[in-house]
Amino acid sequence: DTTVKQNPRYKLARVGKPVNLICSQTMNHDTMYWYQKKPNQAPKLLLFYYDKILNREADTFEKFQSSRPNNSFCSLYIGSAGLEYSAMYLCASSREGALKRQYFGPGTRLTVL
Amino acid sequence: GQQVQQSPASLVLQEGENAELQCNFSTSLNSMQWFYQRPGGSLVSLFYNPSGTKHSGRLTSTTVIKERRSSLHISSSQTTDSGTYLCALEQDTEGADRLTFGKGTQLIIQP
């Protein structure tokens, strides 16, 4: 099974409320990534977990948190959603090695009102 | 500036015509990856191409590192090829692999 699953597929949130998005994969991949994609923009890497080590991009460091309780699951957490967080959130995973293809999930469309 | 530039932004063709999508990058890379996304669908990896030419059915990817470009060629296009095609530059920075995406090419194949 080479699929990456994301839940929920659609999420509506109120400004100021927390948001938690879930990603899972059963390919035993060491690295899991979260990207943000807004219309007419390129997907932007937010953070990734290599095994148990979290790496957050410098320009989004304070806006997003993540946890990886085990190899298969990874969450993306927004403590207080703002209108600017409305976007598609894509999760991906990859295995270390010569062929590091990233496998993407279907995404979660977050709308903040 | 933008590290990965894709062109064209959109392309409309008749079924049977060939499509040529371009990706230019301004920095060093480990590899170039091409993705396809059907409307409402996941990003699907088409090619992982560090250099040279790779073929998959009607699709061909060519990456020329010294010219800092990669292309995706679709021959004899079909309506089911319609969707968004994204290229992404894979770099090893600060000890980690990162993908930097282009904005994508919206391809529409008309019957």
Side-chain angles (χ1 to χ4, degrees), chain B:
Chain B
Q2 198 177 339
Q3 290 184 321
V4 181
Q5 293 188 324
Q6 272 191 261
S7 61
S10 62
L11 183 60
V12 181
L13 296 172
Q14 293 299 122
E15 197 168 25
E17 291 185 303
N18 298 333
E20 187 81 15
L21 282 57
Q22 297 288 344
C23 189
N24 292 83
F25 46 94
S26 58
T27 185
S28 60
L29 82 168
N30 287 351
S31 185
M32 183 62 73
Q33 205 164 347
W34 282 92
F35 293 89
Y36 166 70
Q37 186 175 31
R38 195 181 306 278
S42 304
L43 283 175
V44 175
S45 179
L46 298 174
F47 289 102
Y48 182 90
N49 188 358
S51 68
T53 299
K54 291 181 183 286
H55 301 278
S56 177
R58 294 182 293 106
L59 305 181
T60 301
S61 167
T62 300
T63 297
V64 184
I65 291 180
K66 62 181 179 182
E67 294 179 14
R68 299 201 165 178
R69 63 175 177 85
S70 182
S71 64
L72 179 68
H73 182 87
I74 305 172
S75 62
S76 303
S77 62
Q78 300 173 0
T79 55
T80 49
D81 294 329
S82 297
T84 301
Y85 291 81
L86 290 134
C87 65
L89 183 155
E90 182 193 280
Q91 292 173 289
D92 193 350
T93 55
E94 300 174 356
D97 290 315
R98 286 177 170 78
L99 286 181
T100 303
F101 281 86
K103 289 186 178 182
T105 293
Q106 181 91 16
L107 178 65
I108 298 171
I109 306 297
Q110 294 178 333

Side-chain angles (χ1 to χ4, degrees), chain A residues 19 42 85-86 108 111:
Chain A
V19 175
Y85 285 88
S86 292
T108 294
T111 302

